[in-house]
Amino acid sequence: MTVYFYGADEVPYGCFSNFSDHGFDLDGAWWRTSEHYFQAQKFKGTRHADLIRRAPTPLRAAELGRDASRPLRRDWERVKDDVMRRAVATKFRVHADIRDVLLSTGDEEIVEDTTTDHYWGRGRTGNGKNMLGRILVRTRHQLRAELAEAPEGDGGRPRR
């Protein structure tokens, strides 16, 4: 069975959305959501990146990050997958409740069920790259490996 997700308010898999309300510290700053982190990294080191970090909602962070009048960092296409991997891995390492949801998916495929994004999701035809789903599967695998290596008595928290 494939696990589909999209909206952050969907139970139980809404936590897989970058809009889910699961903040974290990364790169010396607090990020309200993984969407905030991802969008800000397009403009790393600029005032616009900090404006995105401080956006009141993930939707606003996404809007600011998609502002076509702002130039993206030159290496964005090369680094964007790694940026997403870091954000997703950090989010699931920090929040035990959603880590448990991710681990509960077993070995199932995870798919971002959006018709509007052929890269991060399944896209209109259903044949999109589903990179966010693939990153979630990879993160699940990494978390399992970390939990297997964790010494007894540490509460089962993955190492960073």
Side-chain angles (χ1 to χ4, degrees):
M1 182 183 100
T2 300
V3 173
Y4 293 94
F5 74 94
Y6 183 67
D9 57 347
E10 297 170 359
V11 176
Y13 302 121
C15 60
F16 297 170
S17 167
N18 285 324
F19 279 42
S20 75
D21 188 20
H22 294 92
F24 51 85
D25 280 304
L26 188 57
D27 296 340
W30 173 256
W31 304 93
R32 293 175 192 224
T33 67
S34 48
E35 186 71 17
H36 282 80
Y37 180 81
F38 179 79
Q39 295 295 340
Q41 297 314 297
K42 294 178 178 180
F43 311 96
K44 186 177 179 179
T46 70
R47 289 196 334 230
H48 193 62
D50 194 53
L51 180 68
I52 293 169
R53 186 184 64 78
R54 293 183 286 110
T57 67
L59 178 60
R60 184 64 184 140
E63 291 168 349
L64 291 167
R66 295 177 184 138
D67 180 351
S69 71
R70 303 271 182 178
L72 298 176
R73 57 192 267 188
R74 290 182 192 181
D75 63 349
W76 182 244
E77 286 303 313
R78 185 174 51 79
V79 302
K80 69 182 181 183
D81 291 356
D82 287 332
V83 167
M84 185 68 79
R85 277 191 275 276
R86 288 188 75 219
V88 169
T90 301
K91 172 177 141 176
F92 283 93
R93 280 188 179 109
V94 169
H95 296 280
D97 57 336
I98 64 172
R99 180 173 61 243
D100 291 345
V101 173
L102 181 59
L103 293 172
S104 77
T105 60
D107 292 322
E108 302 300 335
E109 179 183 14
I110 301 174
V111 175
E112 185 182 24
D113 193 17
T114 176
T115 59
T116 59
D117 193 329
H118 247 77
Y119 188 79
W120 296 110
R122 64 186 246 144
R124 185 179 49 79
T125 64
N127 294 320
K129 287 191 173 196
N130 187 40
M131 287 303 294
L132 181 54
R134 291 165 60 186
I135 287 170
L136 285 160
V137 167
R138 177 179 165 167
T139 300
R140 179 181 67 198
H141 179 75
Q142 289 172 329
L143 290 171
R144 271 197 204 129
E146 291 169 9
L147 285 169
E149 294 172 2
E152 280 190 49
D154 74 349
R157 183 183 166 113
R159 294 186 213 160
R160 289 182 83 168

